Amino acid sequence: MTGRFRELWDEIAPVGRDADSGGYLRYALTPPELRLREWFREQADLRGMPVSGDGNGNLFAWWGDPPTDGPATDGPNAGGPNADGSAGTGAVLTGSHFDSVPHGGAYDGPLGIVSAFLAVDELRAAGVTPVRPVVVAAFVEEEGARFGVPCLGSRLLTGEIDADRAAGLRDAAGVSFAEALGHRPAGADPALLGRFAAFVELHVEQGRALVDADAPVAVASAIWPHGRWRFELRGEGNHAGTTRMADRRDPMLTFAFTVLAANKEARLRGAHATVGRVAVEPNATNAIPSTVTGWLDARAAEPDTLDGLVEAVQAKAAERSRRDGTELTVTRESATPLVTFDGGLADRLAGLLAAPVLPTGAGHDAGVLAAHLPTAMLFVRNPTGVSHSPAEAATDDDCAAGVVALARVLEELACH
Amino acid sequence: MTGRFRELWDEIAPVGRDADSGGYLRYALTPPELRLREWFREQADLRGMPVSGDGNGNLFAWWGDPPTDGPATDGPNAGGPNADGSAGTGAVLTGSHFDSVPHGGAYDGPLGIVSAFLAVDELRAAGVTPVRPVVVAAFVEEEGARFGVPCLGSRLLTGEIDADRAAGLRDAAGVSFAEALGHRPAGADPALLGRFAAFVELHVEQGRALVDADAPVAVASAIWPHGRWRFELRGEGNHAGTTRMADRRDPMLTFAFTVLAANKEARLRGAHATVGRVAVEPNATNAIPSTVTGWLDARAAEPDTLDGLVEAVQAKAAERSRRDGTELTVTRESATPLVTFDGGLADRLAGLLAAPVLPTGAGHDAGVLAAHLPTAMLFVRNPTGVSHSPAEAATDDDCAAGVVALARVLEELACH
């Protein structure tokens, strides 16, 4: 499997890689990601798996029983779990996303899609005949790196974001999501969603827990609640050389104080806070900025801890803003509640794979879908523990172990 | 004069103005600035003033005695001051620059060029016949907003920057100065420089001293020593959700601390420090940055104060960098020593105009040229005191008073 993994992996490895950083620039619906979507269709064709869409930019390759063109007549969750807790007659969904953060790693997203196709190959080579369809998905704009809302594709499919709001999201160049997609997104598709009995997303680990556990694969227990808050600070643009310090209303000072406050408050609470993105107007060396906008990414194990963290950062920013004579506006751009994955399913898969169970601070499409159908995640060990960076890593052997684990999970879920 | 000022001013007011901010995007050698250079040639033609260049992107319109095409045979400063302290036989140079900072004001630069042409008109209307040429200049890339080095044109002309280094400076899109200019800059031109006996730059005031003094026009005494230092902070790019706070090497923290330290150290010393520009890699909401680069603009009345300020900021940044596990590299991008304008000339003009004499924290081409020929500056009152911002202002009456003052100065210098 290690050789087959490497062979398939090499097909996509060059797409969207920046020669300087070694990281990836695979923003949703830009040429590199469109090339990967073409590759998805080619791989599905090679395996005789018809591809359907949902009008939101998400792709689905069906091994068995694809949806018809007409409107689905089965209601929501018609294929969902039966009353006895078994998975019912619906399809088993797997897959992940192709898009990257700026200069992100190779594995975050694509590993789940490549592993899904290889797991299908593995089941077929073993002569396994599922009684349920197995469906490989590629979700669009999971990172939110282009249009600002993470898990945009799965949020649209599940109706967690309004189609009109999603249509109007714009990238840095002013292109709307609807323009990039070529049409207004279709929004919630309960009929399609109702055809899935379970979703399993395989993903590279984004920390070092599997290094510590000395295991190649883990099963996820939960996703920390998390969100993004935009801190917009308005001051008075002015000349850096001639404006007396006492006369300034410099929003960079308020921004800097907020960055340090977020770090301190997160540490006090055992939570995570990051300011990784900033926009400055006019961003000139010899001009006091008129506006500085910082984005706070905050996460914690418990919702109350997260709320307390964001309130504390906001209060400290507001206090400093008054001292600096600047104006502060805080906007919650996204919020993802605590996701507890289906406990029975996680325990079942952990037992099947003899794998550890652990929580994560990272959001995923699986976190969005977990509110709608039984959902599980598999993590593959990352020796650096680094993610959203070119230093993100996974050995071919661990990736192969991930494929084998995913194949066992799909067999378990699709053959009963 | 107020009406004539407004008429000429209206010709250039729309060029490069951003409809949203009301500020100007007139970067050197981009279409709006190229349009203004065309306008300069048109205005010179209308007045029968031949235009010459210096191979560095600077333009000179000559009223009387333009340079010949052949190499100048007179040595450096052949037209400079005579041994008796009078201005000698050289030309009197005036003018300023067209380029702006991002979303800068209307007056910073262009006021000095428009006023120069109107001052020529004023002298001619009064029947004044100068015994020396009067030359109107438009210097290129004064702000350094495109290629990073302020006063690039005057530094090239005077040899204060090496032509090869200037040629290789690149803008944010990777275009070199040589590419933008269309050829390698020619560098120092001591022969041309030697033809000038004096330089007088009229400029909008960038503070509120003239408001306090209740005067429309002032004469400059000095320019504070100042410079730009690039603080490059390297950490480890990583996932904002999954990386424990204790495991981070986040350069945004070091940056934020440096911003606050610069502000504090400047206030302690009565100096000016500004961090108005920042670049973040990868600049994604859910990624700990791998690199944050901040630019420090620092200025003080005395060189020792400036040195002490920059050393203190650097020491504090280095200390915090060690705590954050980041790497700090500080690069001095530009440094302008204290400029004391020709004291005799400033006193003579202040007496002529009955105008106050005051220092400034802002760099100007006049500051570069002051090391090479007798140089003076006139400031025109700015009611907001704001500069490098759309809020920069000057009344038409004050601008007209500036033209009249400049005409008197040119008559004084060019008729003796």
Side-chain angles (χ1 to χ4, degrees), chain B residues 11-219:
Chain B
E11 291 189 15
I12 65 164
V15 181
R17 183 159 57 194
D18 181 69
D20 289 334
S21 73
Y24 286 87
L25 301 168
R26 291 169 170 170
Y27 303 120
L29 305 172
T30 62
E33 205 248 7
L34 292 170
R35 172 69 199 101
L36 292 172
R37 295 162 72 87
E38 269 310 298
W39 177 88
F40 180 94
R41 290 179 185 275
E42 291 159 14
Q43 292 300 314
D45 283 351
L46 283 173
R47 289 168 179 79
M49 298 169 72
V51 174
S52 68
D54 63 353
N56 294 311
N58 303 315
L59 297 177
F60 303 91
W62 295 74
W63 176 16
D65 201 17
T68 55
D69 282 345
T73 52
D74 45 350
N77 297 317
N82 292 333
D84 65 356
S86 67
T89 58
V92 178
L93 184 66
T94 185
S96 190
H97 62 95
F98 283 125
D99 66 298
S100 76
V101 297
H103 301 280
Y107 298 89
D108 180 349
L111 182 64
I113 299 173
V114 168
S115 298
F117 281 123
L118 289 172
V120 167
D121 295 346
E122 184 80 355
L123 294 179
R124 287 175 172 179
V128 173
T129 310
V131 297
R132 304 163 176 280
V134 171
V135 183
V136 179
F139 289 101
V140 72
E141 181 70 337
E142 192 269 349
E143 299 289 3
R146 181 168 180 195
F147 295 103
V149 176
C151 301
L152 186 60
S154 53
R155 285 183 209 263
L156 275 163
L157 170 62
T158 56
E160 292 203 3
I161 187 170
D162 180 70
D164 285 331
R165 193 191 147 211
L169 294 172
R170 291 187 184 275
D171 69 10
V175 178
S176 74
F177 180 65
E179 287 162 358
L181 195 61
H183 55 81
R184 181 183 172 283
D189 190 342
L192 176 61
L193 210 54
R195 297 208 48 190
F196 301 127
F199 176 46
V200 182
E201 180 170 5
L202 178 146
H203 203 280
V204 68
E205 202 205 343
Q206 300 177 292
R208 290 171 54 85
L210 278 176
V211 174
D212 294 347
D214 196 22
V217 175
V219 176

Side-chain angles (χ1 to χ4, degrees), chain A residues 99 101-102 141-151 155 165 225-231 274 277 294-299 306 310 330-336 363 388, chain B residues 239-240 283-287:
Chain A
D99 64 298
V101 297
E141 181 70 338
E142 193 269 348
E143 299 289 2
R146 182 167 179 196
F147 295 102
V149 176
C151 301
R155 284 183 209 264
R165 194 192 145 207
H226 59 278
R228 299 174 175 197
W229 288 261
R230 188 176 70 242
F231 284 63
T274 310
R277 181 178 167 203
W295 280 261
L296 171 70
D297 178 302
R299 317 193 186 212
L306 179 62
V310 175
V330 181
T331 306
R332 194 179 71 178
E333 286 197 342
S334 74
T336 305
H388 284 190
Chain B
H239 192 294
N283 208 30
T285 307
N286 55 356

Side-chain angles (χ1 to χ4, degrees), chain A residues 101-103 143 206-207 228 236-246 248 252-253 255-257 259-260 263 266-267 271-278 280-289 295 297 299 320 360-362 385-389, chain B residues 101-103 143 206-207 228 236-246 248 252-253 255-257 259-260 263 266-267 271-278 280-289 295 297 299 320 360-362 385-389:
Chain A
V101 297
H103 301 280
E143 299 289 2
Q206 300 177 291
R228 299 174 175 197
E236 182 176 62
N238 214 331
H239 192 292
T242 55
T243 313
R244 288 179 299 182
M245 299 306 283
R248 297 177 177 214
M252 188 67 87
L253 302 178
F255 169 78
F257 185 85
V259 166
L260 297 176
N263 180 61
R267 285 173 186 261
H272 293 173
T274 310
V275 180
R277 181 178 167 203
V278 58
V280 181
E281 288 292 334
N283 207 31
T285 307
N286 55 356
I288 299 162
W295 280 261
D297 178 302
R299 317 193 186 212
R320 175 76 194 208
T360 176
V386 173
S387 188
H388 284 190
S389 149
Chain B
V101 297
H103 301 280
E143 299 289 3
Q206 300 177 292
R228 299 174 174 198
E236 182 177 58
N238 214 330
H239 192 294
T242 55
T243 314
R244 288 179 300 183
M245 300 306 283
R248 298 178 175 214
M252 188 67 87
L253 301 179
F255 168 77
F257 185 86
V259 166
L260 296 177
N263 181 61
R267 284 173 187 261
H272 292 175
T274 309
V275 181
R277 180 178 168 203
V278 58
V280 181
E281 287 293 332
N283 208 30
T285 307
N286 55 356
I288 299 162
W295 280 261
D297 178 301
R299 317 193 186 213
R320 175 76 194 206
T360 176
V386 173
S387 189
H388 285 190
S389 150

